[in-house]
Amino acid sequence: MRPGVGRSLGPVLLLLLLQCVGRRREIGCGSPPEMKHGYIVGNYSSLPGSAVHYECKEGFYSNEGKFSYCTANETWEPATLSCKGVDCGIPPSVLNAYAASVNGTTYGSEVTYNCNRGYFIASGNQTAVCNAKGQWDGTDLVCKEIDCGKPLLIPHTEMIWDNSSTLWSRVYYQCKEGYYFNGDRNFSECTIDQSWESITYVCKEEELFSNLSIFNETCVKWQRKTGRLGMQETYTFHILGKRWDQKTFSEDAVFNITTSEDNPKVCLDLSSGSNYVVNITTISSTNITVSVTVAVQTKVKEAFDNVVIFNETCLKWRRGVRGTDVEDRYSFHVQGQRWYQKEFFHEMTFNLTTQNQAPEICFDLKPGTNYSVNISMVALNFSVLVSMTTQITDPPFPDVEFVAVKGSAPLLRLRKAEDRNGPISLYQVIVLPLGLQNTFVCESFAAATFFSTTIDAKGYVAAEFRAKDVADNMSIALGDRHYYGKFYNAPLKLGEEYCVFLRIISEWNKVRTQSCAVWAQIKNLSPALQYMTAVGFGSVAAVCLILFLSFSAARSYLHSTVHSPPAALACEAVHLSATMDMAQTGITSSFLETENVSLL
């Protein structure tokens, strides 16, 4: 071998060693990329193998690409999340109404409806809003056709009417033979408030009384004409009564009174809450009938008031002044519904008879339900509608199959719970040390995440699922390093013993309830992390051995060819020291990486 060959290999080996040693640098992918219209859920790590969970902002949606991973090249793998704006589409049509204005179909857009001509708003909202789910909220407008019913009768007139009682329909009047017109116009129109327009249309012949007026709501008085004072005279009363909200209701009564008073007064037996036309007629000295018409509107007489809800499911009220010896009979119609359980419907109908001046009654109501209670008194034609809401109670006890294992984390199966005590909102998987199982209180454990805990922590939430995302008999793997909701499902530590709880949470009407059950016990945990650590140490040792053998071979080769000067021997000593330091550094680095992996 030529003498110059050994000298040329020295710099090459030195360069190789320096490249192996390199410079220490921080391992990590840095800050994850930002997503347009999206945000990061929960905490994250920037170490290789870590994942960042993205979700779209309110008003946007995406069905895929919600995770970005830190690769071994220390770069974030691009997430394919594409948040698209919610679009509710063309606003739905509303019966007997039209869309007066629409400012868009995306999230937050509004559409305003108006009833068609001849219809009025009976209930519901005029405005619908595009929600974050891509649906129009508030399209419950109900438009009903205006109906004024039959026109009022005017004495001594003939009515010309085509039997139409819709908006702007007209009825015409004309006086009968022998009478003359005295008023403003001869027609009445059906108005938007569902009543015929009042007119002052009177057919007169001879005025036998004047100053007709109403007092005390149901009484009339008038003044007889001068010249007939002190004489007895007979008056005929014809009373017609109707209600605009009850088409079947009608009263028709005729009676006579004879009096010689100069200022007669008559009180009529009229029902509450009705409109009356009272026609008063008398016979003149020439045997001609003279009449006058007056409209009387009575108020609703309250049969009871001060209705109060107490103890959530009970009602009490105060009766009207009817005497303690008078029994009142009340009819109750109770209907309950749940927005979160469309098929649920609870209905009760019963009667109550009592003499108590302050009656009370309690209903057997279901939890987490909106009720409407109609209380009516048929005798007085009076009713009141009361809305009641019952609070939710604890959700059903979780239906779990208890699992006790040794050595590895089990695969758990989640079963759905029923919404019988209120809407099921969330399912939480809780991990805590086995020694704390008997001290765990279901409602006292808040939403502790794995990253907010310390070495002495008493547990954490490993996963949280919304009820609508849970499928019956769904599998859950502990320690899979994924985010579920805002919680991280961290790997379990070697040699530790754990217990796992399942918690079911109901949230409704600002009330939160929960139920818990022990799901699993894990003892003597020894997952594959030990194998990963051994492989890491073995890999580092193999690399160091190869480098050492290469260095030894080169050194023997140099000794066999030429004798190295003292300076070269010193350089080789430095090379050997650097090699040993590199080997130690590799071992330390591998150990740290293994520890980091075990904490993810």
Side-chain angles (χ1 to χ4, degrees), residues 33 96 172 259 308 342 406 530:
N96 300 323
Y172 292 85
T259 180
V308 177
K342 302 300 183 183
K406 291 184 178 181
Q530 285 181 314

Side-chain angles (χ1 to χ4, degrees), residues 365-379:
L365 305 181
K366 305 296 182 182
T369 307
N370 292 322
Y371 284 92
S372 61
V373 182
N374 184 274
I375 315 170
S376 61
M377 286 185 64
V378 179

Side-chain angles (χ1 to χ4, degrees), residues 27 588-598:
I27 298 176
T588 304
S589 177
S590 176
F591 178 77
L592 289 176
E593 290 181 3
T594 304
E595 286 297 304
N596 288 334
V597 170
S598 68

Side-chain angles (χ1 to χ4, degrees), residues 165-442:
S165 57
T166 57
L167 182 65
W168 309 130
S169 296
R170 280 190 178 188
V171 56
Y172 292 85
Y173 298 93
Q174 61 184 22
C175 292
K176 293 182 179 179
E177 186 177 0
Y179 295 85
Y180 66 95
F181 166 71
N182 182 19
D184 52 357
R185 63 178 184 274
N186 67 337
F187 66 89
S188 175
E189 286 185 342
C190 176
T191 62
I192 197 168
D193 61 357
Q194 296 198 99
S195 63
W196 290 99
E197 186 180 20
S198 61
I199 58 172
T200 56
Y201 187 84
V202 180
C203 295
K204 291 186 176 182
E205 188 228 348
E206 183 180 0
E207 191 174 74
L208 297 180
F209 45 78
S210 60
N211 296 334
L212 181 67
S213 62
I214 304 170
F215 67 100
N216 292 343
E217 191 178 346
T218 61
C219 300
V220 294
K221 61 182 178 180
W222 65 95
Q223 183 179 356
R224 295 175 63 185
K225 186 178 179 181
T226 304
R228 297 175 62 86
L229 300 179
M231 296 177 57
Q232 275 199 344
E233 197 150 13
T234 300
Y235 298 89
T236 300
F237 286 76
H238 186 193
I239 302 173
L240 292 174
K242 290 187 177 183
R243 291 179 180 162
W244 67 269
D245 60 341
Q246 192 174 348
K247 304 298 183 183
T248 58
F249 175 84
S250 179
E251 288 186 9
D252 192 342
V254 179
F255 63 91
N256 297 325
I257 65 166
T258 301
T259 180
S260 59
E261 294 182 5
D262 294 336
N263 298 287
K265 298 177 182 178
V266 176
C267 289
L268 309 173
D269 184 15
L270 306 180
S271 299
S272 63
S274 303
N275 294 322
Y276 288 90
V277 173
V278 181
N279 185 26
I280 310 171
T281 62
T282 186
I283 305 297
S284 68
S285 57
T286 57
N287 292 325
I288 296 177
T289 302
V290 179
S291 65
V292 65
T293 302
V294 61
V296 180
Q297 183 176 9
T298 60
K299 296 180 181 178
V300 175
K301 297 178 180 178
E302 290 190 350
F304 53 91
D305 57 9
N306 291 348
V307 181
V308 177
I309 303 172
F310 69 100
N311 292 344
E312 192 178 82
T313 61
C314 301
L315 290 178
K316 59 183 176 181
W317 62 93
R318 187 179 62 188
R319 290 174 60 192
V321 182
R322 288 167 55 80
T324 56
D325 58 337
V326 177
E327 283 190 338
D328 281 335
R329 185 170 181 266
Y330 301 89
S331 176
F332 292 85
H333 187 195
V334 183
Q335 290 182 319
Q337 291 181 298
R338 294 171 174 172
W339 64 266
Y340 56 87
Q341 194 176 4
K342 302 300 183 183
E343 68 276 8
F344 177 86
F345 184 73
H346 185 207
E347 185 174 25
M348 296 182 292
T349 302
F350 58 92
N351 298 322
L352 172 67
T353 301
T354 179
Q355 291 180 334
N356 194 339
Q357 288 298 110
E360 297 181 2
I361 188 170
C362 292
F363 306 103
D364 183 17
L365 305 181
K366 305 296 182 182
T369 307
N370 292 322
Y371 284 92
S372 61
V373 182
N374 184 274
I375 315 170
S376 61
M377 286 185 64
V378 179
L380 296 180
N381 192 28
F382 182 77
S383 63
V384 170
L385 185 64
V386 181
S387 296
M388 303 177 69
T389 299
T390 56
Q391 296 294 351
I392 60 176
T393 56
D394 290 342
F397 195 71
D399 181 13
V400 297
E401 183 177 349
F402 177 74
V403 178
V405 297
K406 291 184 178 181
S408 62
L411 183 66
L412 303 176
R413 295 197 176 275
L414 178 61
R415 296 171 182 166
K416 295 195 70 172
E418 297 181 4
D419 293 325
R420 62 173 179 263
N421 297 335
I424 303 299
S425 305
L426 300 169
Y427 294 80
Q428 287 185 346
V429 181
I430 301 172
V431 178
L432 68 161
L434 182 60
L436 300 178
Q437 174 179 326
N438 295 330
T439 62
F440 176 70
V441 180
C442 185

Side-chain angles (χ1 to χ4, degrees), residues 20-42:
C20 290
V21 173
R23 293 184 179 179
R24 298 184 184 179
R25 58 187 179 85
E26 185 179 354
I27 298 176
C29 293
S31 299
E34 294 184 357
M35 290 296 164
K36 188 175 181 180
H37 305 306
Y39 65 96
I40 296 176
V41 179

